[in-house]
Amino acid sequence: MAITVVGSVAFDSIETPAGRRERCLGGAATYFSLAASFFTDVRVIAVVGEDFGRRQEEVFQSHNIDTRGIEHTAGKSFFWEGSYLDNLNEAKTHNTELNVFAAFEPKIPESYRDSEFLFLANIDPVLQRRVREQMPDVKLVAGDTMNYWIKDHHAALLEVLKGLDILLINDTEARMLAGNNNLVLAARAVLALGPEALVVKHGEYGATLFRGADSKVHGAKCFRAPALPLEEVVDPTGAGDSFAGGFFGYLASKTEQSPAAFRRAMFYGSVMGSFACERFGTERLQQLTRKEIDDRFNIFRELTHLD
Amino acid sequence: MAITVVGSVAFDSIETPAGRRERCLGGAATYFSLAASFFTDVRVIAVVGEDFGRRQEEVFQSHNIDTRGIEHTAGKSFFWEGSYLDNLNEAKTHNTELNVFAAFEPKIPESYRDSEFLFLANIDPVLQRRVREQMPDVKLVAGDTMNYWIKDHHAALLEVLKGLDILLINDTEARMLAGNNNLVLAARAVLALGPEALVVKHGEYGATLFRGADSKVHGAKCFRAPALPLEEVVDPTGAGDSFAGGFFGYLASKTEQSPAAFRRAMFYGSVMGSFACERFGTERLQQLTRKEIDDRFNIFRELTHLD
């Protein structure tokens, strides 16, 4: 089943202990789409400037990602510059230029309207909600957000949460959103805001899925996927979006989103996140094969299973 | 098979967001022994003062822990006072009184000498080594250490590592010992110092087992056990020692320490660590039943296994 994703398509200049890259193709919607494209059809809604050319378009095309919803306007694409020199778990932002993204008004192509899955990547919750409202019949809606929206756009974000089936955020964001430092209690509080399921990403320690309003952890409603211990994290940019793409892409590839499918989706999310870190930007995702993905899925199984 | 453990038996005054307790029975050897006692015979080597009375002795006796190696001397037992008010993952030490522990000279009772397993809890590496040398015929030796010994008693610690089969430490300690921030590379460096296996404890995120000098992570030589997301961490004191007790106790209960046994041992370690946090001091470990342990083992399986 097809996923429509709305979010940023951007250029990133990134510095990590492994080196530096100028103006890589990036943005949450890009990472998400590439990761999800290995599992199902993906359709992107975004806005880009004149610097987004045939080479960038080709990255999407070669993964059969529908780009009819990428609006091309005069000006430059969203640009982000950041580094991870002190701490690979946290980016230090040096420069953010919203450029054409500042006036982004998501427009949903007619051909996207039969999408059964919708992913609202990390953008202004007002825009997330607008897209959500225009696609009332989707089967499953997932979304992401970040500290900035949690802190300064709380009311708008709460409206988005009411329309979400699955929220994917990291530890810090979950604790901030709930106002509670205990992860179980924070998860319960977040689930009470709307989502049926919450995925909390722990970076190098994996991720936890909480399901149901009571988020029972002493039962079947909680599931932990590991992350792969990596010898070298070349660039963690986009790992969370790639996790979301693997997770949601896998779910969308199933006719039924059973608890068992959710567990596998968590593993595929971690798998895609681990690949994303291995090269700068989307380099690794661009070169990936489905066989490599399934091989790594089996490594994750071996890494965590008793037998 | 019996385990001999050498380490501290102490009194702890602990403050956490859940409250405060004065002079609980504590110490690494106490937590370790109680946790391991659910799996195998345990024999303790420690020193206590006159404040260690019948009530404390009874805690060990009721778990069939051999206390003939606990030396009673004039003075007071090791005392530690700490709090976890800002951060449940890191204790703030307010007071440490070594007392009788300052002159601790471990003496191995004759009746302990046929122990096939030896655990060197976190004490001065000079003492760890002395005990290790007096028990040359043990089948498996595991040990713990901490930042203080890594930093200021490095040479003595390196001697201990040469005689260890398994080292159990936390993330920070592993990175400090290896001088490398990447966990995989740190693990490889630590394993090159002697141990056949390294268990790195990640607190609320579980633990990772690295085996073999090359610590391959893209294969069977690495294993991750989760921690249980807990609604309330009453007191994290001794969680690491309880992990070690569950882990090593389970291994000692097996005639063969196969890779499969190591995996289960990791789970039992996490299980015992999770129980330890549920009450102050050793309260929860004291009241525990084997059935509760196995029930929680199954919860850990459900928390991590795809099917």
Side-chain angles (χ1 to χ4, degrees), chain B residues 244-307:
Chain B
F247 173 84
F248 210 48
Y250 177 78
L251 279 183
S253 75
K254 296 282 139 188
T255 45
E256 204 194 334
Q257 286 68 45
S258 63
F262 265 86
R263 290 168 177 247
R264 284 185 157 65
M266 288 291 288
F267 265 52
Y268 278 112
S270 263
V271 162
M272 300 312 286
S274 76
F275 279 123
C277 295
E278 290 185 349
R279 301 271 187 287
F280 276 97
T282 58
E283 281 173 30
R284 188 68 181 95
L285 297 184
Q286 288 186 40
Q287 296 152 3
L288 208 54
T289 66
R290 181 62 199 248
K291 183 177 177 326
E292 288 178 304
I293 293 169
D294 288 325
D295 286 349
R296 184 154 295 183
F297 183 93
N298 289 330
I299 288 168
F300 272 69
R301 182 198 288 267
E302 211 179 341
L303 188 66
T304 51
H305 281 49
L306 292 166
D307 305 296

Side-chain angles (χ1 to χ4, degrees), chain B residues 23-39:
Chain B
R23 297 185 59 77
C24 310
L25 176 62
T30 307
Y31 284 99
F32 178 93
S33 300
L34 284 169
S37 73
F38 291 93
F39 302 93

Side-chain angles (χ1 to χ4, degrees), chain A residues 86 171 175 181-185 188 202 204-206 208 210 217-233 260 263-264 267 278 296-297 299 301-307, chain B residues 86 171 175 181-185 188 202 204-206 208 210 217-233 260 263-264 267 278 296-297 299 301-307:
Chain A
D86 297 330
D171 283 88
R175 291 180 162 114
N181 266 329
N182 178 286
L183 190 60
V184 178
L185 299 180
R188 194 171 299 168
H202 313 309
E204 66 173 313
Y205 300 117
T208 306
F210 295 93
V217 295
H218 285 203
K221 292 195 170 171
C222 186
F223 184 70
R224 284 210 158 173
L228 192 68
L230 288 173
E231 263 184 53
E232 188 184 26
V233 175
R263 290 167 177 246
R264 283 184 157 64
F267 266 52
E278 291 184 349
R296 184 156 294 183
F297 182 93
I299 288 167
R301 182 198 287 267
E302 211 179 341
L303 188 66
T304 53
H305 282 48
L306 292 166
D307 305 295
Chain B
D86 298 328
D171 283 89
R175 291 180 162 116
N181 266 328
N182 178 285
L183 190 60
V184 178
L185 299 180
R188 193 171 300 167
H202 313 308
E204 64 173 314
Y205 300 117
T208 305
F210 295 91
V217 295
H218 286 204
K221 292 196 170 169
C222 184
F223 184 70
R224 283 210 158 173
L228 192 67
L230 288 173
E231 265 185 50
E232 190 184 26
V233 175
R263 290 168 177 247
R264 284 185 157 65
F267 265 52
E278 290 185 349
R296 184 154 295 183
F297 183 93
I299 288 168
R301 182 198 288 267
E302 211 179 341
L303 188 66
T304 51
H305 281 49
L306 292 166
D307 305 296

Side-chain angles (χ1 to χ4, degrees), chain B residues 4-248:
Chain B
T4 285
V5 50
V6 57
S8 59
V9 169
F11 289 94
D12 296 335
S13 287
I14 303 161
E15 191 167 3
T16 80
R20 188 178 167 89
R21 288 291 186 288
E22 304 297 337
R23 297 185 59 77
C24 310
L25 176 62
T30 307
Y31 284 99
F32 178 93
S33 300
L34 284 169
S37 73
F38 291 93
F39 302 93
T40 194
D41 292 335
V42 184
R43 302 156 171 179
V44 190
I45 300 172
V47 63
V48 295
E50 292 146 317
D51 46 5
F52 185 94
R54 193 172 295 181
R55 230 177 85 203
Q56 285 75 34
E57 178 71 28
E58 173 57 20
V59 171
F60 290 86
Q61 297 293 350
S62 63
H63 287 79
N64 294 313
I65 298 164
D66 194 329
T67 58
R68 281 176 284 183
I70 298 184
E71 184 186 349
H72 294 253
T73 67
K76 288 175 105 180
S77 301
F78 184 25
F79 173 73
W80 177 79
E81 186 180 354
S83 67
Y84 303 82
L85 294 178
D86 298 328
N87 181 356
L88 274 167
N89 291 311
E90 204 179 317
K92 194 168 170 179
T93 294
H94 300 293
N95 190 13
T96 304
E97 295 171 11
L98 288 177
N99 298 328
V100 298
F101 204 73
F104 183 33
E105 274 296 340
K107 292 169 199 68
I108 303 169
E110 211 41 52
S111 59
Y112 283 19
R113 299 216 171 245
D114 63 352
S115 302
E116 286 173 286
F117 285 70
L118 173 63
F119 187 74
L120 308 170
N122 169 30
I123 52 171
D124 187 335
V126 170
L127 300 185
Q128 289 180 315
R129 188 184 176 192
R130 211 169 288 163
V131 172
R132 173 70 184 94
E133 284 173 349
Q134 288 178 70
M135 296 186 74
D137 301 324
V138 289
K139 185 176 172 185
L140 213 63
V141 190
D144 188 8
T145 190
M146 68 184 288
N147 49 8
Y148 173 67
W149 308 117
I150 294 171
K151 207 161 151 276
D152 295 338
H153 294 71
H154 200 70
L157 182 59
L158 290 182
E159 288 304 311
V160 173
L161 294 180
K162 288 180 193 165
L164 277 193
D165 297 303
I166 309 168
L167 176 66
L168 296 99
I169 49 182
N170 68 30
D171 283 89
T172 312
E173 291 156 356
R175 291 180 162 116
M176 188 189 282
L177 181 54
N180 195 316
N181 266 328
N182 178 285
L183 190 60
V184 178
L185 299 180
R188 193 171 300 167
V190 171
L191 290 169
L193 298 174
E196 255 299 299
L198 170 69
V199 176
V200 182
K201 295 168 285 179
H202 313 308
E204 64 173 314
Y205 300 117
T208 305
L209 167 72
F210 295 91
R211 297 195 71 185
D214 56 345
S215 67
K216 283 178 78 71
V217 295
H218 286 204
K221 292 196 170 169
C222 184
F223 184 70
R224 283 210 158 173
L228 192 67
L230 288 173
E231 265 185 50
E232 190 184 26
V233 175
V234 172
D235 174 15
T237 310
D241 302 312
S242 304
F243 182 105
F247 173 84
F248 210 48

Side-chain angles (χ1 to χ4, degrees), chain A residues 9-13 22-26 47-60 70-80 97-101:
Chain A
V9 170
F11 289 94
D12 297 335
S13 288
E22 303 299 335
R23 297 184 61 76
C24 310
L25 176 61
V47 62
V48 294
E50 292 147 319
D51 47 3
F52 184 95
R54 194 173 292 181
R55 231 177 84 203
Q56 287 76 33
E57 178 71 28
E58 173 57 22
V59 172
F60 290 87
I70 298 185
E71 186 187 347
H72 293 254
T73 68
K76 287 177 105 179
S77 300
F78 184 24
F79 172 72
W80 176 79
E97 296 170 11
L98 288 177
N99 299 327
V100 299
F101 204 73

Side-chain angles (χ1 to χ4, degrees), chain A residues 176-219:
Chain A
M176 188 189 282
L177 181 54
N180 195 316
N181 266 329
N182 178 286
L183 190 60
V184 178
L185 299 180
R188 194 171 299 168
V190 171
L191 290 168
L193 299 174
E196 254 299 298
L198 170 69
V199 176
V200 182
K201 294 168 287 181
H202 313 309
E204 66 173 313
Y205 300 117
T208 306
L209 167 72
F210 295 93
R211 296 195 71 186
D214 55 347
S215 67
K216 283 178 76 73
V217 295
H218 285 203

Side-chain angles (χ1 to χ4, degrees), chain A residues 144-162:
Chain A
D144 188 7
T145 190
M146 68 184 288
N147 50 6
Y148 173 68
W149 309 117
I150 295 170
K151 208 162 150 274
D152 295 338
H153 294 72
H154 200 70
L157 181 60
L158 290 182
E159 288 305 311
V160 174
L161 294 180
K162 288 180 193 166

